[in-house]
Amino acid sequence: MDMFLWTTFSALWVTAGIAGVIRLSRRRSLVSVLRVGLPVFTTATMLLVVGASPAGSSLPRILHHAGFTLLGVFLLTSEVLRARLRHLRRNLPFNEEAADLCQCFRTASVLCAPPAAIIILLSGWRLMHDFGWSLRAPWLWWVFVLFSVMMWHGAFYWTADAKRLAAEPQKGLPRGLNLIMTAHGLLFLLIFAIAFNRAGRPWSHPCPRAIAALERGLSFLPGSWRAVGAAVGVWLVIGVVTGVAFRFSRPGK
């Protein structure tokens, strides 16, 4: 019965989301609607999953894996698109195909990456709660911190660079930015490797006492939600630091 109710609700929820997109897209472009609508819809959906799915449900883990798959496909696709764009620029003068690739790259950046990151983040917090994980575990500390850096870098720097590329396709991306985007994708592989082999190597932890103190300070939260609260705090700190760095590194953007 519970499975039937969840399936019915999921179908109605997705249908409502699609209907909302169709309605709004009559007033503005579809990409503009999805750019805002997809992250909002994804966040609302994941909050429902995190808050309402029963204890021991496999749904958060399934969604977590789906989010990683989507992000991996996006990063691979972006690498292929940028490689193709560099090839065109080396062999031909700027043309319409290059402009289309720039626009395609920006569209993929604003439509695929944000929902994938939201799915991974929120389902990851739910898995921390379900399994009693804490950032005091060295492997989880590095996975979470590296992913948070990757996520905030994407929100600030990658998004801005993709927007600039679409607005000025004839200029292309500087070599340094291309290398940084490639490093962004390699960081994803490092995160995956650490998570996959978490029990196979002793990882060092830079601040286990600070995390323990933070969790003690969240004693008003029930049980393993204290570890999740500490993770939220670390995520916000990384976001503030990245945002400040972005603001001062690109004051005119």
Side-chain angles (χ1 to χ4, degrees), residues 51-86:
S53 59
S57 171
S58 60
L59 186 57
R61 175 176 286 190
I62 292 172
L63 290 173
H64 195 67
H65 292 167
F68 261 104
T69 301
L70 177 59
L71 185 59
V73 170
F74 160 72
L75 290 172
L76 178 60
T77 301
S78 70
E79 197 67 31
V80 171
L81 287 174
R82 288 186 291 108
R84 176 61 179 164
L85 184 59
R86 291 194 298 270

Side-chain angles (χ1 to χ4, degrees), residues 13-42 111:
W13 180 258
V14 172
T15 301
I18 294 173
V21 168
I22 293 174
R23 182 177 180 83
L24 290 173
S25 63
R26 294 173 181 173
R27 301 180 182 180
R28 61 186 70 180
S29 72
L30 181 60
V31 172
S32 297
V33 172
L34 290 176
R35 181 185 179 186
V36 177
L38 270 178
V40 171
F41 182 79
T42 303
L111 296 188

Side-chain angles (χ1 to χ4, degrees), residues 83-226:
R84 176 61 179 164
L85 184 59
R86 291 194 298 270
H87 175 75
L88 287 175
R89 291 186 180 281
R90 282 197 301 267
N91 294 278
L92 294 170
F94 181 80
N95 57 22
E96 186 175 345
E97 182 181 356
D100 289 342
L101 282 174
C102 293
Q103 189 60 49
C104 182
F105 175 71
R106 194 216 172 188
T107 300
S109 296
V110 300
L111 296 188
C112 297
I118 291 168
I119 291 171
I120 294 169
L121 183 70
L122 294 181
S123 62
W125 285 341
R126 171 57 192 265
L127 291 175
M128 285 182 65
H129 169 266
D130 287 351
F131 290 98
W133 290 339
S134 167
L135 292 187
R136 286 175 291 171
W139 74 268
L140 185 58
W141 162 265
W142 287 111
V143 165
F144 186 77
V145 168
L146 292 176
F147 175 76
S148 297
V149 169
M150 184 179 176
M151 183 176 180
W152 286 114
H153 174 268
F156 289 106
Y157 291 90
W158 186 298
T159 300
D161 292 332
K163 180 179 179 180
R164 186 178 70 175
L165 180 62
E168 302 175 336
Q170 69 280 2
K171 293 185 178 180
L173 285 174
R175 178 182 175 86
L177 287 182
N178 266 310
L179 291 175
I180 289 173
M181 287 182 169
T182 298
H184 188 103
L186 294 175
L187 184 59
F188 173 80
L189 295 178
L190 176 61
I191 292 169
F192 183 82
I194 295 174
F196 183 79
N197 193 40
R198 58 181 179 269
R201 175 179 175 178
W203 297 91
S204 61
H205 197 306
C207 54
R209 293 181 180 178
I211 296 299
L214 181 56
E215 291 179 1
R216 286 195 300 271
L218 296 172
S219 58
F220 58 89
L221 293 175
S224 55
W225 284 114
R226 298 169 190 173

